Amino acid sequence: MFGKRAGAVVAAAALLLGSACGDDKTSPTADAPRATTGPEIPVGFVNAEGGTLSFPDTRITTEVGVAHFNKNGGVKGRPLKLVRCDVDGSPEKAIDCANKFVEAKVVAVLEGIGIGTDAMLPILKSASIPLVGHVPFGPQQQTSADAVFLGSALPAIAAVPLKFFSEKGAKKLVYLSIDGPNSRQYFTNNLEPVAKKLGITVKPVYFSPSSPDFTVLVNTAMAEKPDVIGTAGLSEAMCTSMINAVRGTSFKGDVFAGSCFDFAKTVGAKADGVYAYADTWWASAPDDAPPAKAKEIREYLDAMKASGNEAKAITTGQVLFAAVMDLGRILATIEGDITGPKILAALRATKGFPAFMGGTLTCDGSAWKGQSSCAASALVYQAKGGVMRPVSKDFVDVSSFAPAA
């Protein structure tokens, strides 16, 4: 989902939401800035940065989102304040960050790409601090009663491309995936059951993220004679390497880049025809979105440009900007003091909520039974002329794969 989640990380991506347009009046507008004068609301922010897998763009879009939200009135006049802590995939660093957040008395923790952050959950729970993000980055987060994710559930994210390619006639898919326990669990628990229901095969080719040779990996995938070579989620740089490697072979099937989108402009003509998915309307093509969502996309693009980060706007980091906007609007529904328990209750009470640049969020656990995510569908995009354009008629409905209520 985005971003790329070394594990369920990579296997999730980014970023895939429900359908529907929503009411554009529910979000702040750049046209009418309103000063924030009340006391700051401290929110922790955890993100993988500085290590082998590093996602600074996710931090940047989050910071721009907070500045933009505050510029437009914040939470009833109170500004959000990010308390930043970077993780590197180790439980030890995640625990350090959790303790830092408790000491800083944050009311919630916002997760960017939180590799290894399952280790934070017990500490946050003991301090009544909910974890919020776009997609969960660990199996415990997927089902935690103390976490809420404002994107599509990982099982739904897994199902969308399998259903899409199955309907195109594909019988076998091979995914290149960063090795790790979360990635293997993602294949076992999410991809393989859906593939079985569809009567197709999906096979992994695992690799270490330290020095992957995508020419070797693609040739390994081709030996399986697949109809599709792709990934459940890699970094933008890895997606670019994968696509270049595939285009350097005789492979004639479809290529699927998970939640990567930047390759459309960086790879050039070789990117044409490559598929990806998103659970928000993608910022590279506002006119392809419904009018209310197109307005929100332009609000996001204007904020990124005004902050000097226009070049970083068309990345999976856009979902963290959206998460800030959504979280801020939900916080504004709370009466009285804003505390961790009140935030969790407000999130759980969110139903039919028009997500910023996305679809409809319902966070009471019914979007996908057993999951802490608020949506269960995604759009499929395809690269054409340097731009990602939606090719699924609407958000792909995978509700038939969800557990019975």
Side-chain angles (χ1 to χ4, degrees), residues 215 218-219 222 241-251 270:
T215 299
V218 167
N219 283 326
M222 286 178 63
S241 296
M242 179 187 75
I243 293 165
N244 281 326
V246 172
R247 294 308 194 214
T249 70
S250 60
F251 183 69
K270 289 187 291 186

Side-chain angles (χ1 to χ4, degrees), residues 3-341:
K4 299 344 175 167
R5 1 271 163 162
V9 177
V10 171
L15 324 299
L16 318 169
L17 273 168
S19 59
C21 300
D23 181 359
D24 62 319
K25 295 179 181 178
T26 60
S27 65
T29 66
D31 300 324
R34 301 183 299 280
T36 50
T37 57
E40 294 175 327
I41 301 171
V43 175
F45 177 63
V46 61
N47 187 56
E49 187 167 352
T52 302
L53 289 172
S54 185
F55 303 91
D57 289 359
T58 301
R59 169 182 51 80
I60 290 168
T61 53
T62 303
E63 292 173 340
V64 173
V66 169
H68 178 70
F69 184 78
N70 289 343
K71 176 184 176 183
N72 289 282
V75 180
K76 298 179 181 178
R78 296 181 61 184
L80 299 176
K81 177 187 177 181
L82 283 186
V83 178
R84 174 185 168 189
C85 192
D86 298 340
V87 291
D88 58 10
S90 69
E92 293 79 12
K93 184 57 179 173
I95 290 170
D96 285 345
C97 284
N99 287 324
K100 176 181 179 179
F101 294 143
V102 172
E103 183 178 353
K105 294 181 169 54
V106 303
V107 295
V109 171
L110 179 63
E111 183 174 47
I113 295 179
I115 301 169
T117 50
D118 269 2
M120 298 176 63
L121 290 175
I123 296 170
L124 297 183
K125 180 178 181 177
S126 67
S128 298
I129 300 172
L131 180 67
V132 187
H134 187 77
V135 292
F137 288 86
Q140 294 178 42
Q141 294 172 49
Q142 277 187 255
T143 58
S144 173
D146 303 292
V148 176
F149 294 93
L150 304 171
S152 280
L154 295 188
I157 291 172
V160 166
L162 298 187
K163 180 179 180 183
F164 178 81
F165 287 115
S166 175
E167 290 175 350
K168 285 186 84 234
K171 297 298 182 184
K172 179 182 281 190
L173 296 81
V174 174
Y175 277 11
L176 309 185
S177 181
I178 293 174
D179 200 5
N182 288 344
S183 288
R184 291 179 179 272
Q185 186 177 62
Y186 185 75
F187 263 88
T188 301
N189 294 349
N190 298 325
L191 289 169
E192 290 175 352
V194 173
K196 185 176 180 179
K197 287 184 179 180
L198 290 169
I200 63 176
T201 300
V202 58
K203 297 193 68 173
V205 173
Y206 293 115
F207 65 91
S208 167
S210 58
S211 56
D213 185 330
F214 280 92
T215 299
V216 172
L217 292 170
V218 167
N219 283 326
T220 301
M222 286 178 63
E224 298 288 340
K225 302 188 184 303
D227 302 299
V228 180
I229 293 176
T231 178
L234 297 176
S235 68
E236 293 285 357
M238 288 180 178
C239 283
T240 294
S241 296
M242 179 187 75
I243 293 165
N244 281 326
V246 172
R247 294 308 194 214
T249 70
S250 60
F251 183 69
K252 301 300 182 184
D254 288 325
V255 182
F256 174 60
S259 61
C260 293
F261 270 63
D262 198 44
F263 67 86
K265 63 178 184 288
T266 60
V267 176
K270 289 187 291 186
D272 283 357
V274 176
Y275 294 92
Y277 55 14
D279 59 357
T280 59
W281 292 96
W282 203 250
S284 62
D287 292 338
D288 290 334
K293 300 297 112 175
K295 181 177 179 180
E296 292 174 344
I297 290 171
R298 292 189 178 93
E299 182 180 340
Y300 162 67
L301 293 174
D302 287 347
M304 292 295 287
K305 182 177 181 179
S307 70
N309 290 289
E310 184 176 14
K312 300 181 184 300
I314 313 301
T315 67
T316 53
Q318 73 170 52
V319 299
L320 266 299
F321 183 101
V324 169
M325 300 295 282
D326 291 336
L327 176 60
R329 290 187 290 163
I330 293 169
L331 293 183
T333 68
I334 297 173
E335 299 294 336
D337 292 341
I338 294 178
T339 65

